[in-house]
Amino acid sequence: SAHAEDPAPGAHHKVPCKKAADKTYDLYVPKAYAAGTDRKFPVVFISTPNARQTFYFLESWAERNGVLLVCINDSKNGPWADIQKCQDAVIDSVEQTLRVHPCLRFAMGMSGAASASLFMAVHAPDKHAGVLLMCHSGAGQVAPKHVCVAFIYGGKDDTQPPAGIEASYNTHKTKGCPVRKLLVPDRGHEDATTPEIEVMLDWMLGLARLTHPKLTPDEQKAAKEVVLKRIQACAELKAPEERIKEVQLLLDLPKVDLWPESKPLAGIWLASQLEAAKTINDAVSKHNSLMEALENPLALKCSAAEQSAVKKELDELRKQPACKKEWEAREMFKRIAQMETLAGKNKTKLAEAAQAYAAIATRCADTKAGKEAAAAAKRLGDVK
């Protein structure tokens, strides 16, 4: 129930910690907190490497999802004893003063603060559900099996090179943790964007609400009902891009693709792809967008009638020479990709595939498949 200390919705800055008044945290409370006085709320703990106070512009996300945001203000890179003192003080205060969920707790940070965030989940596994590491591998720490782990990192990061982060991703995957990664090729050692963070948090929150081992059966049942309502509401979303994103989010949740109620989602997705493509003015871009949609495994789950509208649009577009050339190049590329797969490790056959890719790259240089073929030819050429 509500208690005297329930904070008002909105941002609260530099809130002193209960057991260490020299330590503070910033708090963002969503409007749903004031309405649901009998509910316990998920929380995202945010750390930075330089004691910077920030919510990473996640306030709108927190409102949409009914999640508390807590920035551990005094946490910064080293020493570890100080980081732990900050974390303990903030967690203690949050538990004393907020209706915070006992296990739907997430931590995120950048660089050294990512490692500090992973530390929280490693040392209190029953109380955590997910960690987002930006530009860091976690320094050898490995999360408990039920904890979702996401990595966002730059291809040009000299401080935390991609190889170490990818090794940590593979270690967590082998252990059985739900994992995701996003490599941004031209980025150095810098923060992820708010939309990139939101995608990872959406995934973690959705998955944890259905699967965390410490959830009660009633909580799991309630989470399933929320997902079922979202499935029913999906077709009513106005913008096709919104429907596409929502279908992908829903089908990313564990076992949702096996629920009979989720069956209409594939059709909604394909119809939305067609609707979105019709707003594209350039014929070749429109054609490629629809061709990729039809090749997506989701399209294969659609009925012949649902697929036929897209095929009809593609047939019409292929009357234009540029679109026809794109299609022919794509078909050739697919045949050679199959040839490469069948080659296995046979160097002679792989060399033949490389030559075939190079031939498409030359012949269809101005097509998307031609550019992909050039990259594939180079990739095979680089493998000795």
Side-chain angles (χ1 to χ4, degrees), residues 1 103 111 119 132 147 217 239 358:
S1 62
C103 65
S111 192
F119 176 87
L132 168 57
V147 170

Side-chain angles (χ1 to χ4, degrees), residues 105-116:
R105 302 182 186 185
F106 305 84
M108 60 171 277
M110 148 80 186
S111 192
S115 194

Side-chain angles (χ1 to χ4, degrees), residues 75-354:
S75 184
K76 56 181 185 283
N77 283 354
W80 269 108
D82 285 357
I83 293 171
Q84 279 180 257
K85 187 182 176 187
C86 294
Q87 290 179 348
D88 290 346
V90 171
I91 292 167
D92 170 72
S93 293
V94 163
E95 288 180 341
Q96 281 193 52
T97 59
L98 294 162
R99 284 175 281 108
V100 63
H101 197 281
C103 65
L104 291 180
R105 302 182 186 185
F106 305 84
M108 60 171 277
M110 148 80 186
S111 192
S115 194
S117 298
L118 183 54
F119 176 87
M120 291 172 79
V122 170
H123 286 266
D126 289 351
K127 289 185 173 185
H128 281 83
V131 183
L132 168 57
L133 297 97
M134 296 184 278
C135 297
H136 210 282
S137 63
Q141 302 175 100
V142 182
K145 190 177 175 181
H146 65 271
V147 170
C148 303
V149 185
F151 300 87
I152 304 177
Y153 57 109
K156 293 184 176 174
D157 189 340
D158 297 327
T159 309
Q160 283 283 325
I165 293 167
E166 282 154 15
S168 180
Y169 167 88
N170 289 329
T171 299
H172 281 94
K173 188 175 183 179
T174 302
K175 184 172 182 176
C177 292
V179 284
R180 276 201 171 178
K181 61 178 178 174
L182 172 64
L183 169 64
V184 185
D186 294 326
R187 184 178 292 163
H189 192 68
E190 54 196 286
D191 282 327
T193 67
T194 302
E196 289 165 355
I197 294 169
E198 287 182 354
V199 167
M200 293 302 195
L201 292 179
D202 275 335
W203 165 68
M204 286 185 190
L205 182 62
L207 193 144
R209 275 179 160 153
L210 289 171
T211 63
H212 197 288
K214 293 293 175 181
L215 291 172
T216 65
D218 282 350
E219 284 178 314
Q220 288 186 319
K221 187 182 171 191
K224 182 170 182 176
E225 282 166 8
V226 169
V227 176
L228 288 172
K229 279 180 188 167
R230 281 173 64 183
I231 289 170
Q232 287 166 354
C234 193
E236 306 305 317
L237 293 172
K238 273 193 173 176
E241 294 80 8
E242 277 185 66
R243 295 195 295 274
I244 290 164
K245 185 183 171 191
E246 180 71 347
V247 168
Q248 288 166 336
L249 265 175
L250 289 166
L251 291 177
D252 266 348
L253 296 173
K255 300 198 169 91
V256 168
D257 60 330
L258 303 176
W259 298 359
E261 296 91 344
S262 74
K263 205 173 176 195
L265 290 177
I268 292 167
W269 179 87
L270 191 58
S272 301
Q273 291 283 359
L274 180 58
E275 191 182 328
K278 285 184 175 176
T279 65
I280 301 171
N281 293 323
D282 178 65
V284 169
S285 299
K286 184 187 290 188
H287 172 272
N288 289 347
S289 171
L290 288 173
M291 190 161 58
E292 284 167 19
L294 210 52
E295 288 175 358
N296 189 294
L298 263 183
L300 299 177
K301 294 184 177 182
C302 295
S303 67
E306 287 167 332
Q307 289 183 34
S308 69
V310 178
K311 288 177 179 174
K312 189 179 172 187
E313 185 74 18
L314 281 169
D315 288 342
E316 202 56 40
L317 286 164
R318 284 170 189 159
K319 290 175 184 175
Q320 300 179 42
C323 291
K324 189 180 180 194
K325 190 174 182 183
E326 286 282 342
W327 175 48
E328 288 170 346
R330 186 80 194 155
E331 291 299 300
M332 287 189 283
F333 180 89
K334 280 157 65 178
R335 284 197 293 275
I336 297 157
Q338 180 69 10
M339 188 169 126
E340 182 192 341
T341 303
L342 293 172
K345 293 185 178 177
N346 184 309
K347 288 189 176 179
T348 307
K349 289 184 177 177
L350 286 172
E352 286 170 8

